[in-house]
Amino acid sequence: MRRLRFWINALIFLIPICFLSIGAYRFVRRVFNFLNTDARLAGTVSAEATRALGRRVVIGDVKFDRNPFGLYGSNRVVLKNIFVANSPTDDKTAFVRASSVSVAYSLQQLLSANPKVPIVEEIRVTRPEVRLVRSISGQWNFSQLIKPKTGGGRVFTDRIAFTDGSVIYMDAAFPHPPRVPSRPLSTRLDRLSGIVLIRPDKSAAFDVAGIAAPDIMQQFHVTAMFDPATLRSTVHLAANRISLPFISSRF
């Protein structure tokens, strides 16, 4: 009888401990798997980007195509499902979304002391969507991101390529001639693909093609040069079926 009571008490004591041990093992295993996958890195990058930009940034995943610390040859890191909030106070609306951003780099280039050598080789963006909004007072939704110049330095990259992008443009202070009444403009550009080349002096050349809203134009192709030091730009536009009524009503 005493042995039976002993074993009953032992089972009553051991069964909860077994369940707790199994639960603790599963929890530790999940945490270990999380710490040893790209989920932790994506969370860290998201937090650092949020701190740097002053608005919410979410990166869904981070993948390395090759050894990230390889000394020779090009390496590539891919950020997936990127979200950048519209403003510090509006973290639900997207200022920028992208399916993926691929960054090609090499350690030799990263560590270079040559000011004419960009930090990374190339950035490729897939299915980006950018929302450009200007208020009636002339404030852009990206104004908070523009930092004062701190002198020269290496450009981050000299080549940005993108495919299947979109731009949502909402301008409550759209420019107009003195005799033309002020009217806001809301439109969008789709199926944007192109490339941006950035020079050591920070000037940039653009080559972009896409489709505009039917009430403005259809397919278009733009090549442009922009110099941020002088704010001068040269733009060449080729487009199909430009809407003359739209131009005459605005200008």
Side-chain angles (χ1 to χ4, degrees):
M1 189 69 178
R2 291 182 178 177
R3 288 186 177 181
L4 178 61
R5 183 176 298 174
F6 170 78
W7 287 111
I8 291 175
N9 290 335
L11 288 174
I12 292 174
F13 177 74
L14 291 174
I15 287 175
I17 292 180
C18 290
F19 278 110
L20 288 174
S21 300
I22 293 172
Y25 169 77
R26 290 181 175 178
F27 174 76
V28 171
R29 186 174 181 180
R30 285 198 300 267
V31 172
F32 181 80
N33 289 337
F34 172 77
L35 294 177
N36 286 274
T37 59
D38 298 323
R40 181 184 179 224
L41 183 56
T44 301
V45 174
S46 298
E48 288 299 317
T50 298
R51 182 186 61 81
L53 297 182
R55 60 179 69 188
R56 181 170 172 250
V57 178
V58 178
I59 298 172
D61 201 3
V62 179
K63 296 289 185 183
F64 288 95
D65 284 355
R66 301 180 182 88
N67 176 13
F69 305 110
L71 293 176
Y72 303 101
S74 178
N75 303 307
R76 189 174 292 273
V77 58
V78 181
L79 313 179
K80 296 185 177 181
N81 301 323
I82 299 99
F83 171 93
V84 181
N86 188 53
S87 71
T89 57
D90 179 9
D91 62 357
K92 303 298 183 184
T93 307
F95 167 55
V96 175
R97 293 181 186 270
S99 176
S100 67
V101 174
S102 174
V103 181
Y105 69 96
S106 68
L107 287 184
Q108 290 180 329
Q109 185 168 340
L110 285 174
L111 301 175
S112 174
N114 188 342
K116 295 184 178 181
V117 175
I119 298 174
V120 300
E121 296 175 1
E122 180 189 50
I123 297 176
R124 289 185 174 271
V125 188
T126 303
R127 289 193 292 276
E129 181 182 280
V130 181
R131 179 185 297 268
L132 301 178
V133 181
R134 180 162 60 170
S135 66
I136 190 66
S137 63
Q139 186 80 6
W140 289 97
N141 61 339
F142 55 81
S143 299
Q144 173 258 344
L145 299 176
I146 300 175
K147 306 295 183 182
K149 294 183 179 180
T150 57
R154 297 165 63 192
V155 296
F156 186 73
T157 186
D158 61 358
R159 180 184 174 92
I160 302 174
F162 54 92
T163 56
D164 198 17
S166 297
V167 172
I168 300 170
Y169 183 77
M170 304 172 67
D171 192 348
F174 189 76
H176 59 94
R179 296 183 180 181
V180 177
S182 174
R183 287 190 299 160
L185 175 64
S186 295
T187 188
R188 64 178 294 149
L189 308 173
D190 291 302
R191 292 168 60 181
L192 297 172
S193 295
I195 188 170
V196 181
L197 300 177
I198 304 171
R199 297 174 176 175
D201 63 357
K202 310 297 176 65
S203 63
F206 300 82
D207 190 328
V208 182
I211 295 178
D215 59 337
I216 300 177
M217 67 181 73
Q218 289 192 353
Q219 296 90 349
F220 66 89
H221 181 202
V222 175
T223 56
M225 291 287 298
F226 176 70
D227 183 5
T230 61
L231 297 179
R232 292 183 177 180
S233 61
T234 303
V235 180
H236 297 275
L237 170 65
N240 295 331
R241 298 185 180 181
I242 298 177
S243 174
L244 295 180
F246 170 82
I247 295 175
S248 63
S249 66
R250 293 283 179 172
F251 304 102

